[in-house]
Amino acid sequence: MPSSYQAPNRKSEEKAKTVSQSASSNMSAASASVHMVLDQKGKNVFAIRPQDTLGKAVEVLRDKHIGALLVTDANGSLQGILSERDIVRKLADTPGQTLPQKVEDVMTSEVQVCAPDDAMVDVLRRMTEGRFRHMPVADDSGLLGMVTIGDLVNFRLTQLEHEALQMKQLIVG
């Protein structure tokens, strides 16, 4: 008796792994470092002084289209970070009286900093666990830039898109 055709199912064949599922690609994601992200996005550092007003900070945030400012002293040493979230909380606490207040009274003084050689995955984990979106990058010479959680995610998405394109070219070519 002739056997009928049976379409393959999940159990009949072992699935082929894609590049994004391979050990080598997962290792490349783990070895991507912060300096790779800074090289791609740029190393602009936007800073404000502790004695400046929140009004000035709000203008800089608006004009630069950014979500946080580093707070530095006259020598460029990191004193803190001021985010939109910090300002919004102060607005809720002191409505109508917030913009004349000093940055030093609202900023976050205990800032987590990463090094350019830190693994991107580790920095993402620290930001997620700490529930913050901006992290200054520094080494022995001083501030080198700032990365956001969006920068890190975008970098990884670009890597994945590149891997998918390479796989497509391997399959077609």
Side-chain angles (χ1 to χ4, degrees), residues 14-23 167:
E14 188 174 321
K15 290 183 180 181
K17 289 187 177 182
T18 66
V19 172
S20 64
Q21 295 171 325
S22 72
M167 280 301 295

Side-chain angles (χ1 to χ4, degrees), residues 69-73 76-81 109 111-113 136 138 143:
L69 287 166
L70 297 178
V71 183
T72 59
D73 63 15
S77 296
L78 185 63
Q79 302 296 305
I81 190 167
S109 299
V111 183
Q112 289 198 34
V113 177
L143 290 169

Side-chain angles (χ1 to χ4, degrees), residues 72-103:
T72 59
D73 63 15
N75 298 322
S77 296
L78 185 63
Q79 302 296 305
I81 190 167
L82 179 71
S83 70
E84 293 169 321
R85 186 181 294 172
D86 295 326
I87 296 168
V88 168
R89 287 182 179 145
K90 194 57 151 177
L91 279 167
D93 293 342
T94 58
Q97 304 166 5
T98 305
L99 296 181
Q101 294 185 40
K102 301 289 183 203
V103 167

Side-chain angles (χ1 to χ4, degrees), residues 23 37 45 52 60 64 86 97 102 104 114 123 129 132 136 149 167:
V37 177
V45 175
D52 288 335
V60 175
K64 300 296 183 186
D86 295 326
Q97 304 166 5
K102 301 289 183 203
E104 63 192 347
C114 65
V123 173
E129 289 171 358
F132 55 90
I149 203 159
M167 280 301 295

Side-chain angles (χ1 to χ4, degrees), residues 142-172:
L143 290 169
L144 302 175
M146 182 156 47
V147 292
T148 67
I149 203 159
D151 297 331
L152 300 173
V153 168
N154 185 50
F155 184 86
R156 183 59 183 139
L157 287 174
T158 302
Q159 281 184 319
L160 290 171
E161 288 171 358
H162 181 69
E163 291 171 9
L165 182 61
Q166 286 180 322
M167 280 301 295
K168 187 175 182 179
Q169 290 173 347
L170 285 173
I171 293 169
V172 172

